[in-house]
Amino acid sequence: MKAIYLFGLFFLTTIFGYTQNTISLNECYEGLKTNYPLVKQRAILEQQKEVELSAIRAKTLPQLNLNAQATYQSDVTEVPLPNTGIEPLNNDQYRATLTANQLIFNGGKIKASQGLQNIITDRKQQEVEVNVYQLKQRVNQLYFSILLIDEQRALLNIREQQLNSKLNEVKSGIKNGVLLPTSDKVIEAELLKIFQQNQEATNNRSKLIASISSLIGLPISVETVFQKPLISINASSELNRPELGLYGLQKQEIQQQQNILSKSLVPELNGFATGGYGNPGLNMLENDFTSYYIVGLKLNWNVFDWNGNKKQRQALDYSKELINNQEEVFKLNTNTALNEQLKEIETLESSIEIDEQLIDLQQEVVNTSESQLKNGIITTSEYITELTKLYEAENLFNQHKTQLELAKANYNTLKGDSK
């Protein structure tokens, strides 16, 4: 029986261990990449590509054309020789034909068109990747805002405990006549303010959780613990943004379009076979319904197009230059933003060092004020003022620490190093 109990306890512990209510920044990134509604376009684009490729491949298969016509002519061809026995054609004539055309050679335009369609799909997929990636900074902002609120709530709880403990001492001092009768009311008012701040922080946290949950497509409860990430940056690595991949694919697409244009100057050879039935047939002197066929080869070659093809390829060269310029501007703007982010990181690191010194100094002041309050040298209000200064210094320290991690996360996102 004891073994069953232990097994059951282990089983429940295992279940709750795997369903612990925590989330990390990387899990938010993965949720964004997997669940954001725009991601659904990836599957649609793949399906669209298969249909387009199938349509292109169909051009290599025999093409069948059915034609039928019935006409009435005001005049017909006659043989102007008497006693030949050749009857004149009927004024009403009928013809039905079925023609099969088979592409034999077109200089590789079909294969080039398939290559272009693959590049177009890759480019559209990369556009989806870019649009989703650009939402990462929004995820960073929401995630670290929640962490900041958690730090604030933790400080408020510590301060509340300190004040509750101090309230008992003050009441004892009032009872013994050491402190003024209203000294406890000052602390109670401060506790009420803390309660109010806690309520506001809790409400703001719920709003932020709802926002990040809808963005990454994952259910997140208000009890969820947001893990503090340990973020490192590499200031020497190259840009790894998906936009750079998009620019590359756009240039590949233009290059492939130029390739197709160059192949359009190559002669196109087709084989054909036509079977027909009509009156008259191929023998115009036979005035009767008959069947017939024609087989042969057909060559199409646009020998001279007034340099239209060349000008189209030159226009595509200008499009490629525009993309190169856009890429250059993107790199410049991104590197400028990275430098600004590095400066912000350095400023925050410096501020944190000063914050630590301020906290140590203010803690000494609070310790002194606490001793003075016990001896009735200062009032409760004066003690609360110093304690509030300590809280503000600690809160600012936490803000700067969280802002530092946010700045690092944004730096990695700007560079393309965030996973």
Side-chain angles (χ1 to χ4, degrees), residues 41 62 73 80 135 142 184 196-197 258 278 305 310 315 354 385 389 392:
Q41 289 187 11
Q73 300 178 194
L135 292 169
L142 291 169
D184 58 338
Q196 184 184 43
Q197 291 171 349
Q258 291 177 318
D305 67 346
K310 182 180 179 181
I354 297 174
T385 299
K389 288 180 181 179
E392 290 172 349

Side-chain angles (χ1 to χ4, degrees), residues 233-235 338 341-342 345 407-415:
I233 61 173
N234 185 355
L338 284 171
Q341 205 69 34
L342 278 176
I345 290 171
K408 290 179 180 179
N410 284 338
Y411 181 88
N412 288 338
T413 301
L414 279 170
K415 180 168 279 189

Side-chain angles (χ1 to χ4, degrees), residues 12-24 27 219-221 223-227:
L12 291 174
T13 304
T14 304
I15 292 176
F16 286 111
Y18 280 104
T19 58
Q20 57 184 354
N21 210 6
T22 62
I23 193 167
S24 67
E27 286 174 339
I220 305 176
S221 69
E223 290 82 15
T224 299
V225 176
F226 285 73
Q227 299 175 1

Side-chain angles (χ1 to χ4, degrees), residues 39 49 57 66 70 93 114 130 153 170 204 206 225 235 251 265 272 304 309 320 340 388 413:
V39 176
K49 181 184 77 171
R57 283 193 296 268
L66 176 64
Q93 297 183 7
Q114 290 175 325
V130 167
R153 292 170 70 194
V170 168
N204 289 335
S206 298
V225 176
K251 286 183 279 189
L265 298 174
F272 69 91
F304 185 69
N309 188 286
K320 196 183 296 183
E340 292 174 354
T388 300
T413 301

